[in-house]
Amino acid sequence: GMSVFGVEPDQKVVEHTQSKMLKKGTNVSVKVGTNIATGYPDIFFDYVYASGSIYYLPSEDFTIIDALTETYRILNTNGKFLATFARSDSHATKKAEKIDKNTLILKDSYYNFREGQRYHVYNEKEEIKKDLELSGFKLIYLGDYDVDWFGTRETLFLCYAIKT
């Protein structure tokens, strides 16, 4: 009974996702956009789910605070934000060019899809909490995800935050 929406910067991925969902009988509204400029109105969503996505930055002109502020803007009061945040020691960060302690440029030899992409990483939960609070969130719960997936170490921080 939910209405499901999505934002993706790549038009080909948008088309693929819509086609795949329609074949499964699921109507999903996916459009081209970014986590910085979703194109959705203020207080539109009850839930925002950003797994493996919020930390990709469209250019050097934007920061993770821009993405978190956009998330806060489109959430209803008491809306829930569920997300994963990249850790600095994940497999995706191998061989990446380090811009600063939290910003990398990916050298994506693993998936060969996000080569050159700006990528925001965190080293500890307190950094995430600080950024979420700067963006307006008050109730914040953070956890760890550290899995050796058949020789590929995937590390993330898990997040549940509420807009109050």
Side-chain angles (χ1 to χ4, degrees):
M2 294 178 134
S3 297
V4 180
F5 301 84
V7 175
E8 162 60 42
D10 188 305
Q11 179 65 38
K12 289 178 186 174
V13 174
V14 167
E15 292 166 6
H16 170 79
T17 302
Q18 285 176 321
S19 172
K20 190 174 182 179
M21 292 287 117
L22 283 173
K23 286 178 185 173
K24 292 182 179 252
T26 304
N27 188 16
V28 175
S29 174
V30 183
K31 65 180 180 176
V32 173
T34 69
N35 53 0
I36 307 298
T38 62
Y40 290 105
D42 293 355
I43 60 171
F44 186 75
F45 291 106
D46 294 322
Y47 297 89
V48 170
Y49 177 69
S51 179
S53 60
I54 194 83
Y55 41 81
Y56 286 98
L57 302 175
S59 76
E60 64 188 38
D61 298 327
F62 300 102
T63 69
I64 194 69
I65 298 297
D66 296 315
L68 296 174
T69 301
E70 175 70 356
T71 300
Y72 188 86
R73 182 189 69 76
I74 63 176
L75 266 174
N76 286 320
T77 301
N78 296 316
K80 281 59 170 186
F81 175 45
L82 299 102
T84 59
F85 291 99
R87 279 182 27 183
S88 58
D89 61 351
S90 181
H91 71 89
T93 63
K94 288 182 181 175
K95 300 180 184 178
E97 176 188 346
K98 189 173 183 178
I99 303 300
D100 59 43
K101 75 175 195 138
N102 296 97
T103 309
L104 308 172
I105 304 294
L106 292 181
K107 302 291 184 208
D108 189 12
S109 57
Y110 190 79
Y111 293 113
N112 203 24
F113 184 65
R114 301 284 190 197
E115 182 81 24
Q117 177 72 53
R118 290 184 76 81
Y119 197 73
H120 187 92
V121 296
Y122 286 102
N123 300 289
E124 55 191 61
K125 292 178 200 170
E126 280 305 309
E127 292 175 309
I128 301 169
K129 185 175 187 232
K130 179 183 162 205
D131 285 351
L132 286 164
E133 288 172 345
L134 280 171
S135 304
F137 289 96
K138 301 289 184 239
L139 297 173
I140 301 163
Y141 305 93
L142 299 166
D144 293 294
Y145 178 88
D146 189 340
V147 174
D148 182 344
W149 192 63
F150 303 101
T152 300
R153 184 168 182 221
E154 178 121 36
T155 59
L156 300 163
F157 292 107
L158 306 173
C159 171
Y160 175 79
I162 301 171
K163 177 180 177 177
T164 57

